[in-house]
Amino acid sequence: MAGGGGSGASGAIPGPRGGRRGRGSGRPPARRGRRVLRWVASVLALLILGTAGAGYLYYRHLNGSIKTDALNLGDTKLGGSKPNAFGQTPLNILLIGSDARDGDENKALGGGRDTFDGPPLADVQMLLHLSADRSNMSVVSMPRDTLLKMPKCTAPKGEVHEASKGLVQTNMSLQRGGPGCTVATWQELTKIPIDHFMMIDFKGVVSMADAIGGVPVCVEQNVHSRTREGHGSGLKLPKGDNVIQGEVALQWLRTRYGFEDGTDIGRTRAQHMYMNSLAREFRKNAKLSNPVKLNSLAQAAIKAMVVDPGLNKIDKLYDLSMELKKVPTGRITMTTMPWIQSPRDINRVEPKPGEAEELFRMVREDIALDGKGATPAASPAPSAAPSTPPVTDPAAPPGRIPVMVRNATGGKNTPEGKVKNRASEVATLLIGKGFGKAMADRQPAAEDTTVIRYAGLDQAGDALAVATAIGLPPSAVQRSTDVSGVTLFVGKDWRSGPTITPPAPAPTKAPDSARALNGDDDKACMRIQEGFTW
């Protein structure tokens, strides 16, 4: 029998529910029984729908079961993901695990009677990024004990939750109006536009794990997640490879005491291993060709979900699942946001300066976290570099290229305000470079970085010519339906002067502190915490 209470037992402080806790510990163990499978269920539901094939029509009657909530309750609206130079659009989906203890089924799944029908916490948060060319998928987990500034959120019924004056634990965002505030919190921190969210409760997940015949996992030693005080998930597995399902799968995803250092960081690692293994099983498991079984599984998953209005139909979920299926498991990369122990609270964490932003930037710029870049087959223009727009026609002479210039130097979170007459200044600069048809545009805009957008493929060469003239890289050229011709958005990074300072090159691989795990890594094995072996 294992001894000890895990690494977070000392220095306990009140947590969001009012209990005593150490870093990563959360509320009493019985209350953690459901929250950790939420993100699994969301991806699982999509994979189920995506493997349906002929059984697709079975799901149409489920439309009335899909629950929705507002996508973004914050003041900052980044809009959806922007198409790349090829006109391909990435997708960012926030997976939220609510610990809501409402309904008989949820209440029956693991104690916590003192919190029945109380306000929920967003105890699992994972951003799933599907690349624009569908060649790769990245997942970024945020530890639930991360301290952040909360943005102002306005609930659907009008209740206003003002921006926090200090740092607040990230899992409390859900109590500030709903999942739309969790989305707003992520966008404020990462500047990543989030296209959809899926929030999941626990109902039906165990039966899904059973239906695929179990999920292979590995532990480096015999493990028993149980302290002398009776805390822990109860997971008991022998050393080596195991196939888990049902309640044991639940225990695996709950386990904190017994994995690595006994914190939520180790638990996240175990969840990543499970998710990768689950994806591999779905790809090869023939059972899921049974439409009757698929219908039952999808029904359980969909009834457990809350989604944004953009995913409120079976057709939309099915289409999304088909996009996810395009990514081979070897191009799926699971990561955890790089973090440091908070200098304000030893039992909490904060984003690691530099390296957390590097990870977020890679997602923003659609750079694969595995360091492999785009696959050659994914490029619509084999003769062009991956970041270069497909040029169907050569650029016209500069004097014949109409260029609209918009002043995008202002916007929210710009204390110095918009630079007056900046569009006119840059238009004059372009005229001096031979672009005689350049002119200032009065339409409002706000961009962190300077970009050039164009409407049709026959304008790609012209847009590249403008970029070259002012020293912008090809990656700053985007195809967009929001403009009618070549349009230069002068961003906050070019507030003055005749030349723009190009940004430092983005990383080409996730930092080591993100602990990247590849979807094809079937040799991954969980390290066991001292004192929890048998």
Side-chain angles (χ1 to χ4, degrees):
M1 180 73 68
S7 62
S10 63
I13 63 171
R17 294 292 195 188
R20 305 294 290 182
R21 62 186 299 173
R23 184 177 69 76
S25 63
R27 54 191 65 76
R31 298 203 43 233
R32 295 196 297 267
R34 302 158 15 268
R35 65 176 185 248
V36 293
L37 283 182
R38 317 298 199 266
W39 60 272
V40 177
S42 59
V43 175
L44 193 57
L46 292 176
L47 289 169
I48 289 169
L49 290 168
T51 53
Y56 166 65
L57 293 179
Y58 280 87
Y59 304 135
R60 296 187 63 85
H61 73 280
L62 293 176
N63 278 334
S65 302
I66 300 175
K67 298 181 286 293
T68 63
D69 211 325
L71 174 61
N72 186 350
L73 301 180
D75 289 344
T76 300
K77 310 295 184 183
L78 299 180
S81 296
K82 301 294 190 296
N84 65 8
F86 301 110
Q88 304 164 314
T89 306
L91 278 174
N92 295 309
I93 306 165
L94 188 62
L95 309 179
I96 305 171
S98 163
D99 76 340
R101 305 194 63 78
D102 54 352
D104 292 341
E105 291 176 271
N106 280 332
K107 291 176 181 178
L109 292 168
R113 295 181 180 277
D114 58 324
T115 63
F116 281 4
D117 300 313
L121 296 172
D123 270 344
V124 176
Q125 300 175 34
M126 292 187 175
L127 181 66
L128 186 154
H129 173 80
L130 183 62
S131 69
D133 63 7
R134 304 306 188 249
S135 70
N136 65 89
M137 184 192 303
S138 304
V139 176
V140 179
S141 296
M142 184 186 296
R144 68 185 181 112
D145 287 338
T146 303
L147 295 179
L148 303 169
K149 286 187 176 180
M150 292 285 173
K152 176 183 177 182
C153 290
T154 303
K157 293 185 179 180
E159 182 182 4
V160 176
H161 300 266
E162 296 294 344
S164 65
K165 295 182 180 179
L167 300 182
V168 179
Q169 191 166 310
T170 184
N171 63 352
M172 297 187 72
S173 59
L174 197 57
Q175 299 180 359
R176 297 167 56 82
C181 193
T182 306
V183 168
T185 302
W186 270 79
Q187 289 200 156
E188 287 282 342
L189 173 68
T190 67
K191 303 300 184 291
I192 297 170
I194 294 177
D195 304 291
H196 300 291
F197 76 79
M198 301 181 72
M199 183 171 71
I200 308 296
D201 65 15
F202 180 65
K203 300 185 298 289
V205 178
V206 171
S207 63
M208 293 178 203
D210 287 342
I212 65 169
V215 177
V217 296
C218 175
V219 289
E220 292 184 356
Q221 296 174 272
N222 298 344
V223 61
H224 188 194
S225 177
R226 186 68 72 200
T227 69
R228 291 172 178 170
E229 295 77 19
H231 301 323
S233 70
L235 178 73
K236 189 172 185 179
L237 292 175
K239 174 183 177 179
D241 296 328
N242 295 269
V243 177
I244 60 175
Q245 58 191 106
E247 293 294 335
V248 181
L250 167 60
Q251 290 174 337
W252 175 276
L253 293 163
R254 286 181 56 201
T255 296
R256 178 175 70 84
Y257 295 115
F259 282 164
E260 296 192 339
D261 61 354
T263 70
D264 275 341
I265 306 302
R267 175 156 54 194
T268 297
R269 182 73 168 178
Q271 292 170 354
H272 288 171
M273 289 183 185
Y274 183 93
M275 188 172 180
N276 279 340
S277 185
L278 185 69
R280 292 193 297 269
E281 290 302 299
F282 263 102
R283 297 294 174 96
K284 68 182 182 183
N285 196 308
K287 283 185 182 179
L288 297 179
S289 63
N290 182 334
V292 176
K293 183 176 290 291
L294 284 168
N295 181 54
S296 175
L297 292 173
Q299 192 163 191
I302 287 169
K303 287 183 178 180
M305 290 194 302
V306 179
V307 298
D308 68 276
L311 293 177
N312 66 347
K313 300 293 183 185
I314 295 298
D315 308 57
K316 297 176 181 178
L317 289 169
Y318 180 83
D319 289 344
L320 177 57
S321 73
M322 297 307 290
E323 294 298 296
L324 292 172
K325 281 183 64 182
K326 294 177 181 178
V327 180
T329 54
R331 296 304 309 281
I332 297 174
T333 306
M334 302 281 176
T335 63
T336 300
M337 178 195 77
W339 55 272
I340 59 170
Q341 186 178 70
S342 172
R344 301 164 179 81
D345 183 341
I346 62 172
N347 300 300
R348 303 290 181 267
V349 302
E350 295 182 25
K352 186 174 184 178
E355 294 185 11
E357 171 54 25
E358 286 180 5
L359 192 66
F360 300 151
R361 181 182 176 186
M362 292 183 72
V363 174
R364 286 197 302 268
E365 298 185 15
D366 197 25
I367 300 171
L369 300 185
D370 57 12
K372 297 179 181 179
T375 58
S379 173
S383 62
S387 60
T388 304
V391 180
T392 57
D393 292 307
R400 293 175 54 190
I401 300 176
V403 185
M404 300 300 296
V405 182
R406 291 186 189 175
N407 186 346
T409 59
K412 185 177 173 62
N413 298 325
T414 310
E416 59 270 41
K418 184 170 70 173
V419 178
K420 292 182 179 180
N421 302 318
R422 187 59 180 154
S424 297
E425 292 174 359
V426 175
T428 300
L429 173 67
L430 284 173
I431 292 171
K433 292 179 178 290
F435 294 87
K437 290 189 175 183
M439 60 185 298
D441 185 352
R442 294 180 179 274
Q443 292 191 47
E447 299 285 344
D448 288 333
T449 58
T450 300
V451 294
I452 297 174
R453 299 192 175 111
Y454 66 95
L457 291 178
D458 58 342
Q459 300 167 346
D462 296 344
L464 274 174
V466 176
T468 301
I470 60 177
L472 283 177
S475 59
V477 179
Q478 304 170 349
R479 189 180 179 189
S480 174
T481 58
D482 294 334
V483 296
S484 58
V486 178
T487 306
L488 169 60
F489 292 77
V490 183
K492 300 173 186 177
D493 60 341
W494 194 16
R495 295 176 61 83
S496 63
T499 58
I500 182 171
T501 302
T508 57
K509 188 176 182 180
D512 291 343
S513 57
R515 303 190 71 189
L517 183 66
N518 182 269
D520 268 353
D521 186 356
D522 58 2
K523 304 301 182 185
C525 209
M526 279 304 297
R527 179 168 55 84
I528 304 307
Q529 184 182 8
E530 184 178 356
F532 287 84
T533 59
W534 52 276

